[in-house]
Structure formats: C-alpha cells, structure tokens
Amino acid sequence: MLTSSPVQMAEIRFMPGRAGEQRFPAPNAATQCATCPQRAHCLPGELEPRLVRRLDELHFARRRVRAGQKVFHHGDRFAFLYAVRSGTFKASLAAPDGRELVTGFHLPGELLGLDALAAGRHASTASALEDGEVCAIPYRQLMEEVGAGGASVYHGLSRMLSREIVREHHLMLLLGGMNAEERLAAFLMNVSQRMQVRGYSSTEFNLRMSRAEIGSLLGLTVETVSRALSAFQRQGLLRVDRRHISAMDVQRLRQEYAATVQ
Amino acid sequence: MLTSSPVQMAEIRFMPGRAGEQRFPAPNAATQCATCPQRAHCLPGELEPRLVRRLDELHFARRRVRAGQKVFHHGDRFAFLYAVRSGTFKASLAAPDGRELVTGFHLPGELLGLDALAAGRHASTASALEDGEVCAIPYRQLMEEVGAGGASVYHGLSRMLSREIVREHHLMLLLGGMNAEERLAAFLMNVSQRMQVRGYSSTEFNLRMSRAEIGSLLGLTVETVSRALSAFQRQGLLRVDRRHISAMDVQRLRQEYAATVQ
DNA sequence: CGTAAGATTGAATTAATTCAAGCTCCGTGG
DNA sequence: CCACGGAGCTTGAATTAATTCAATCTTACG
C-alpha cells in the first residue's frame, strides 16, 4: 500500500549493482520471475521452481505506469492479469451515483484484475498512486500453460483468487461491524503487516493514498479519517506527519481496537 | 437466498414424477450433474457437455443438511467444495468479538467454500437456513481432472471464484456508500433477480433468513432492517407478511433507491 | 395453551456526517 | 526568490441517520 520511501523501493528493485539488497544479481534480472524480488509474494511464490522457469518463457511484458494513470478501466476487455512489480495501486468501482468507491490498495507482488475472469471484462478500474511498474500476464497463454500440464499454475492462480475473497471478507467484516477508529486501526495494522512481509518497517511507512481514498475504502468521510488519525496521535499510538506514519505501536493499537487484520 | 415456497422448491427438485417441471425426468436423475435442474447456474454451466459427463464420473456425494446444521466450520480442513443443490445457505465469519458476521446467502447452483483454497482450511462457516442438500465436490479429484487435460474445468472454477469476488465488490459498495434503505433495497433486488434466474417469481418470494441475519449482511441492526421494511410497505413498494415478500415493485424500488444489483 | 424467539415500534442517545472555516504544504509563475 | 493559489488536510459546530434501550406484539412450536 505504501513504502517507507519511494526512492528506497526503486533502488531495491531496479539497481542490480547494489549487491546485498538483491539476492540474484543476474545481469538481466528484472525481466524474469525467477529473479524478481517480489516472486515470493507473487504468483511464482505458489509454484515449483520448474514451473517458474516455464512461466518465464512467456516473457511477461513490463509496463511503466505513471502516478494517476490507469492500468485498466472497468468495462475494458480482459486479456491480461497484472502483477504489481513496484509502486502502489488502487482498485476502484464506479458507484451508481458516479462516486468512486475504492475496493483495495495493492502492493508489489499482488495481482490486479482478478474480478475480470467472471465476465471477460474488467469489473473494476486500477490506477497507480505513484509511479510504478506492472507485469502484464497474458491470461490466454497462461491457460495454455495449464493445458500443457502445468496444472499447478492453476493451483497458484486459484489460491490467489481465493485469497482475494478472504481479503474482501475481512473488509466486509470491518465495514459491517466496526466503528470509525476500529476501521482505521485495522487498516493501519493491515498496511503495517504487509509492509513487514515485504521487508520494510512495520512501524514507520508512507501512506501513498489520500485521506479521501482511505475513507472510501473504509466507508468513512475524509473528516472522520482525519479525526481518527489525530485521536491515535493524541493517544500516543503513532505519529502522523502528512502521509508519513511513524512510531506506530502495533501492539497497543491491536489491544485497544481488537480487530483482526487480513 | 430464498424461495417462493419451500414446498414448491422441494417438489421441483425431488419429485421426478412431476413431468413438465423437470426437464430430464431420467430415473436416477438427481445424482448426475448432466440432469440436475441447477446445472445451468452451477459449475457444469461453465463447461462443455463432454466435460460435464466427465464431472459426473466423479460421482459427487450428496449430503442432506437440516435447517441450522453446518456444512463446514471455519478452521475445518478443506477437502470439498459444496454446491448448493436445494435449500438456502448462509456463509458467515466469526468477528473478533465473537459476533457472527454474515457474508452471504447462497441459493441452489452456488458454490460454498471458495475461500478455503487460499489456506487449505475453511475461512468461513456455512450452515443451512432450511432443510436442503449439497453436492460435495472432492477438490483433489477435481484437480486431477484438470491435470488430465480438463483445463476447462479450471476455467469454470476460476470464473466462479472471480464471480464471488465481483459479488463481494458489490456488497462492499453497498456497505461503504449506501444508507439503510438503499442497502435493503439493493438486497431485495438482488434476491429478486436471483429468484428470477432460477425460474421463480421476482416479485413474490420467501425470505429464509431472520431480520438479524439480513442486518448482519448489510451492516445494520435488526431494528433498522425492520423499520426499512415497514417504510417500503408504507410507500407501497411491497407487502411484507413475516418472511414473505409480495407485490414487490422492482422498477420503482430501483428508481427510488438507485442501487446496482449484483 | 403457554412460552420463547423473532419482529415491530417508539423514544433517547450517539456516532458519524455535513457544513463551514482555516491551515499547511507544494508547485507554478511573476 | 518569493508570492500566490489550490489541493489536501484538520478542526469545530450543527445536524442527522442509525443505534441502543425498552416495551409490546406475533407466531411458531412444544
């Protein structure tokens, strides 16, 4: 959802010269799943090494996406799934009244477009909250891979689909049964945990999205989000400086707002 | 979610003698997907006839589930997906504070347990709102089918997973951005539409769940659900008699509560 | 027929929204 | 370089929608 620093993140991913930060400093590293720093959290993380090599033979195209640009728009014909390679992305729906409803924020390794399989058209819109890159996975080719005996590719993908369902269950739980501060606490703990998994600090990070976008995800207004953040700061649970969160006391946050995180 | 009448529903499904209501009155009809009245809305609906026959060779076990009984409980080891064959089922999560949070109601043809693929354990609990039957689909065997070249089984299943994601998107949209009456209107229109797809009346049906369960799904209290229903009745949008809804004016409901339905 | 669970309705309370004002930071152009 | 302007954020006060509390009613079921 957010990175402790955009510069740092870019460095880890795109400067193969920096040994120690990248485990496989192969010359052409960045274009292959096998050597992608996100592979553990991404589709290949679900596959045996043999199949990852096969996946790489598909040569996924990488696409730069500038902040604010869309990866796909709802209604677009579905041809590719997108894996976030770097940056933070926002998935959203158009509400009947025209408003935009955020359904999730996506960090490196996560897939975009899983709701498109149902109807062959994208049901949501994905856009970049900061400059980033996605890998375009041609769905048809991926399926041919399944046909050619790579049934475990299917396993990996369906597990990611299922994971998305679980993620949304948690969001529903939050929307259906928690008050404003519990929602925000759950959100922050979720971000914290996902940052940690990716090797970043769990107590200090940058929110890449606006208060309004957080509110949209959590079913709250901007003002309520802002007030809740201020309240947390007043209680000494964290420090807020614009979009930078620091000194977050995850443990106290958890016990005071007994909320499950993804 | 609900049926225009339990008796009627049972008859259609389990009395092969009643010609005209059942399109394939084969002697042993009920045990085969190929002749199941729900097949169009279920997994086989996504598959070519050849594969449906193959699916049938797996001989899914049917399981009677009495009202109130569980199909599976969250935390259970995942081995089967369940297709609703008859009856109405409720999927729910245990909230951190112990309350039960309903995540959906499931009608014949819909799958239960799709959230279990992610972790190999059921993430939710499914129980029957009335006596009914489910087909237990052994997931491992289904996967072997994919391995043996039935890649379209994969397609069908992933489309159903994706559809579940879309369904939950709509629910989130509802929870995040609508007021009480809009939520209930969206819920009723959703039920109405699903009833219609299954060949029942879209303007008259029985709700199989309590007001509390509807409230849980919609993020509202029992009282609020009750008040909203009364308001609809006062406006002449429908008639309520306990759990029976009749004379529902879908069109007016839609225009007065401009809400998208699944 | 009596009881308990579910549903309805009203009144009081509260959490969150809406409305409104002002602040801060950032980029742009004078 | 600094001022200007706007977007995003914060804070306060008023309003409102929904919850909570409470009482009553209905009906399904033993």
Side-chain angles (χ1 to χ4, degrees):
Chain A
M1 210 160 274
L2 359 83
T3 64
S4 64
S5 144
V7 179
Q8 185 197 356
M9 203 169 219
E11 283 174 355
I12 288 179
R13 261 184 237 112
F14 301 120
M15 296 179 69
R18 290 199 142 212
E21 284 182 343
Q22 192 161 2
R23 275 175 264 178
F24 294 86
N28 199 18
T31 58
Q32 302 283 108
C33 284
T35 58
C36 175
Q38 299 307 330
R39 74 191 179 297
H41 321 115
C42 192
L43 183 59
E46 305 283 347
L47 306 177
E48 312 143 32
R50 185 182 63 81
L51 278 156
V52 177
R53 282 193 293 276
R54 236 167 128 171
L55 215 59
D56 275 336
E57 284 159 23
L58 298 179
H59 291 300
F60 300 154
R62 275 162 68 186
R63 208 179 115 192
R64 277 219 133 268
V65 190
R66 298 264 157 217
Q69 279 188 341
K70 291 184 172 73
V71 183
F72 52 80
H73 188 277
H74 85 269
D76 285 355
R77 251 186 83 78
F78 168 58
F80 297 93
L81 285 174
Y82 295 90
V84 178
R85 198 172 165 92
S86 66
T88 309
F89 290 78
K90 170 179 78 173
S92 59
L93 302 174
D97 59 11
R99 280 176 312 129
E100 175 190 61
L101 250 286
V102 174
T103 58
F105 298 111
H106 296 274
L107 293 185
E110 297 175 345
L111 292 185
L112 301 169
L114 292 174
D115 57 6
L117 277 61
R121 296 202 167 265
H122 285 284
S124 59
T125 300
S127 55
L129 291 174
E130 59 182 318
D131 291 359
E133 282 196 321
V134 293
C135 298
I137 306 173
Y139 189 68
R140 179 168 287 280
Q141 279 181 258
L142 195 69
M143 287 310 91
E144 283 160 11
E145 198 54 29
V146 175
S152 123
V153 170
Y154 158 71
H155 259 100
L157 198 50
S158 56
R159 226 175 289 138
M160 295 198 84
L161 278 156
S162 181
R163 204 184 289 168
E164 180 72 8
I165 293 171
V166 172
R167 187 186 72 82
E168 300 197 347
H169 276 174
H170 281 274
L171 206 44
M172 283 168 51
L173 206 140
L174 178 156
L175 289 168
M178 296 184 187
N179 68 28
E181 298 196 345
E182 286 169 341
R183 292 181 199 194
L184 192 66
F187 170 75
L188 289 171
M189 289 189 283
N190 175 252
V191 170
S192 161
Q193 190 243 318
R194 285 155 79 196
M195 293 306 294
Q196 190 166 38
V197 165
R198 284 164 181 78
Y200 298 102
S201 169
S202 64
T203 59
E204 177 166 3
F205 44 81
N206 259 85
L207 296 169
R208 288 275 109 104
M209 68 294 294
S210 69
R211 304 286 193 268
E213 286 165 332
I214 296 174
S216 177
L217 180 76
L218 302 179
L220 302 170
T221 58
V222 200
E223 294 95 326
T224 306
V225 172
S226 184
R227 275 187 254 268
L229 268 177
S230 301
F232 289 164
Q233 182 161 239
R234 229 174 296 119
Q235 292 173 256
L237 292 165
L238 47 73
R239 281 169 23 89
V240 190
D241 174 22
R242 201 130 180 88
R243 294 189 179 180
H244 188 78
I245 304 293
S246 56
M248 187 167 119
D249 190 334
V250 183
Q251 197 146 5
R252 254 184 75 210
L253 208 55
R254 192 187 319 280
Q255 54 194 193
E256 306 215 16
Y257 300 94
T260 6
V261 193
Q262 179 172 35
Chain B
M1 211 162 271
L2 359 81
T3 65
S4 65
S5 144
V7 178
Q8 186 197 356
M9 200 168 224
E11 283 173 354
I12 288 181
R13 262 187 235 109
F14 301 120
M15 297 179 69
R18 288 200 146 211
E21 286 183 343
Q22 194 159 1
R23 276 174 264 177
F24 294 86
N28 200 20
T31 58
Q32 301 285 108
C33 285
T35 58
C36 175
Q38 299 309 328
R39 76 190 177 296
H41 321 116
C42 193
L43 184 58
E46 306 282 348
L47 306 177
E48 310 143 34
R50 184 181 63 83
L51 277 156
V52 176
R53 283 194 293 277
R54 231 164 133 174
L55 213 59
D56 275 338
E57 285 161 21
L58 298 178
H59 291 300
F60 300 154
R62 275 163 67 183
R63 210 179 112 191
R64 277 219 134 270
V65 189
R66 297 265 157 217
Q69 277 188 343
K70 290 186 173 69
V71 182
F72 52 79
H73 187 276
H74 85 268
D76 285 355
R77 251 186 83 78
F78 168 59
F80 297 93
L81 285 174
Y82 295 90
V84 177
R85 199 173 162 90
S86 65
T88 309
F89 291 78
K90 170 178 79 175
S92 59
L93 302 173
D97 59 11
R99 281 176 309 131
E100 176 192 61
L101 250 286
V102 175
T103 59
F105 300 112
H106 295 274
L107 293 185
E110 297 175 344
L111 292 184
L112 299 170
L114 292 175
D115 57 5
L117 278 60
R121 295 201 167 266
H122 285 284
S124 58
T125 300
S127 54
L129 291 174
E130 58 182 320
D131 291 0
E133 281 195 322
V134 293
C135 298
I137 305 173
Y139 188 69
R140 178 169 287 279
Q141 279 180 256
L142 196 68
M143 288 308 93
E144 282 161 11
E145 198 55 29
V146 175
S152 121
V153 170
Y154 158 71
H155 260 100
L157 197 51
S158 55
R159 226 175 290 137
M160 296 200 82
L161 279 156
S162 181
R163 207 186 286 169
E164 180 72 8
I165 293 172
V166 172
R167 188 187 72 82
E168 301 198 345
H169 275 174
H170 281 273
L171 206 44
M172 282 169 51
L173 205 140
L174 179 155
L175 289 168
M178 295 183 187
N179 67 29
E181 298 195 347
E182 287 169 340
R183 291 182 199 194
L184 192 67
F187 170 76
L188 289 171
M189 289 188 281
N190 175 250
V191 170
S192 162
Q193 189 245 316
R194 285 155 77 193
M195 293 307 292
Q196 189 166 36
V197 165
R198 282 164 184 78
Y200 298 102
S201 168
S202 63
T203 59
E204 177 166 3
F205 44 81
N206 260 85
L207 296 168
R208 288 275 108 104
M209 68 296 293
S210 69
R211 303 286 192 265
E213 287 165 331
I214 295 174
S216 177
L217 179 76
L218 302 179
L220 302 171
T221 58
V222 201
E223 294 94 326
T224 305
V225 172
S226 185
R227 275 187 255 268
L229 268 179
S230 301
F232 289 164
Q233 182 161 238
R234 231 174 294 120
Q235 293 173 252
L237 293 166
L238 45 73
R239 282 169 24 88
V240 190
D241 175 23
R242 198 124 183 96
R243 296 190 180 181
H244 186 79
I245 304 294
S246 56
M248 188 168 119
D249 189 336
V250 183
Q251 197 147 5
R252 254 184 75 210
L253 208 56
R254 193 188 317 282
Q255 53 194 190
E256 305 217 16
Y257 300 94
T260 3
V261 192
Q262 180 170 29

